[in-house]
Amino acid sequence: MTEEWQGWREAAETALYGDGGFYRSPVRSPDGPAGHFRTSVHASPLFARAVAGLLARTAAELGIGTVALVDVGAGRGELLTGVLAATPEGLEVVPYGVEVAARPPGLDPRIVWCTEPPRGVSGLLFANEWLDNVPVDVAEVDGEGVARYVQVRIPDGGERLGPPVTGADAAWLERWWPLSVPGERAEIGRPRDLAWARAVGSLEAGLAVAVDYAHVRGARPPFGTLTGFRGGR
């Protein structure tokens, strides 16, 4: 077996967003994320109606008649489709679907499909269960009490401890997910902080909302949170 090792962040980036990755490959995931797991977007039209109401309130607060809706991690456009159907009369919406996958067939032609949030728009940026899919590195405490990056073996997913965590990543751990006991693990969330800051910074004016799972600093799970779904399991 070839011994090729990489960090968790790089491994997850390839598995999720590479050319043959879960979110991009029509062969691996022909129905998109909805073929494997449900979010509030897929569960009920009530969620889209609530977002439509929030969009209308945002437009009213901004005093504009044409408002942008930026759906970050748009999947196959399910939320945008639902919001457009529920938008109050008289409000003109410019919808953007931000997604690495190709534009799905049959999508409402009003929806602008892009790989990055548009810059300089005014309205609502909505990221539903997106931040948990921004790849991060994993750290584990060794027998000497040193937090080290966890490395992944490319062919089979085996793991080993790599070099110590240093620099900005170490500072992030110390502040947000301190580790001390050998065997404890953490996901270094700094890339998610930076991704959210970039997304929020794309707005000229308006509201940015992230909907996702979370836990507070004082109640971190000792072995991390990484979970995957395939075929609903």
Side-chain angles (χ1 to χ4, degrees):
M1 180 178 293
T2 303
E3 295 280 315
E4 294 185 61
W5 298 87
Q6 57 187 356
W8 254 104
R9 183 181 180 188
E10 184 181 357
E13 183 75 34
T14 300
L16 294 178
Y17 303 114
D19 290 338
F22 175 78
Y23 283 104
R24 297 187 68 172
S25 170
V27 175
R28 180 172 293 184
S29 188
D31 298 321
H36 297 274
F37 54 82
R38 291 201 314 170
T39 70
S40 299
V41 172
H42 311 111
S44 167
L46 292 175
F47 192 75
R49 291 175 200 161
V51 175
L54 182 60
L55 180 65
R57 292 197 297 275
T58 301
E61 291 172 2
L62 292 172
I64 55 178
T66 300
V67 63
L69 172 59
V70 182
D71 181 10
V72 184
R76 296 301 184 265
E78 297 94 339
L79 178 60
L80 290 171
T81 300
V83 171
L84 289 174
T87 299
E89 279 190 44
L91 181 63
E92 184 178 350
V93 180
V94 182
Y96 297 88
V98 182
E99 181 58 65
V100 295
R103 181 187 183 94
L107 195 65
D108 190 311
R110 291 175 291 176
I111 298 175
V112 180
W113 203 252
C114 45
T115 57
E116 295 288 339
R119 302 201 64 82
V121 301
S122 296
L124 174 63
L125 183 142
F126 202 85
N128 187 68
E129 297 193 28
W130 166 63
L131 285 175
D132 64 334
N133 289 312
V134 174
V136 295
D137 276 309
V138 175
E140 181 176 323
V141 181
D142 67 12
E144 304 299 320
V146 176
R148 295 181 175 274
Y149 291 106
V150 178
Q151 296 180 328
V152 181
R153 187 165 52 205
I154 293 175
D156 64 351
E159 291 183 333
R160 72 179 184 185
L161 296 186
V165 180
T166 59
D169 284 347
W172 190 95
L173 281 180
E174 183 177 358
R175 180 177 181 183
W176 295 113
W177 199 331
L179 298 172
S180 58
V181 180
E184 278 189 320
R185 294 174 73 133
E187 290 115 43
I188 304 173
R190 194 169 66 88
R192 293 174 179 171
D193 294 346
L194 297 173
W196 181 239
R198 287 194 301 271
V200 173
S202 70
L203 284 176
E204 177 70 24
L207 178 67
V209 177
V211 181
D212 228 309
Y213 301 94
H215 40 73
V216 296
R217 181 174 54 184
R220 302 292 195 192
F223 305 115
T225 69
L226 294 179
T227 305
F229 290 88
R230 181 179 181 183
R233 301 176 64 85

